[in-house]
Amino acid sequence: MNWESRLAAYCGKMMEVIIEDYAGSDPLAPTSSRQLHHVRLVDERTHLQFYFTEVQFLAIPVFEDDRTRLEESEAGAVFISNDDNAKLIYKMRFSSRE
């Protein structure tokens, strides 16, 4: 999957950043709203960097199977990546109401 191209349409849009810990060992990270500046797949193709500014980003692991996916609906789109090793679920939610 070419995630950089697939997510390019969301650059400049607001998104909710949601990180869920399903191991239960850490407190739930608070949801934050950020504007997506751009997306970059690292050279090793293991992580997708969601940039909020030219330099500030959140790196999310990507997988070749359905653990990493983009769910699109009339309500908007959600990029989801389930990191089984870290027991984290990353969600980047884009609203269609912008």
Side-chain angles (χ1 to χ4, degrees), residues 31-91:
T31 300
S32 66
S33 293
R34 301 288 188 105
Q35 184 175 21
L36 180 62
H37 189 275
H38 69 279
V39 177
R40 179 184 171 274
L41 185 64
V42 299
D43 293 338
E44 298 82 13
R45 305 186 61 79
T46 59
H47 289 78
L48 194 59
Q49 296 172 326
F50 284 79
Y51 279 82
F52 310 124
T53 67
E54 283 289 327
V55 295
Q56 185 184 26
F57 65 88
L58 173 64
I60 296 176
V62 291
F63 306 97
E64 296 295 324
D65 56 23
D66 66 349
R67 289 178 291 169
T68 301
R69 62 195 180 279
L70 182 64
E71 296 179 355
E72 297 175 293
S73 70
E74 287 183 21
V78 183
F79 174 86
I80 301 169
S81 191
N82 294 323
D83 185 349
D84 295 331
N85 290 334
K87 305 247 187 280
L88 295 173
I89 301 172
Y90 298 90
K91 295 179 182 178

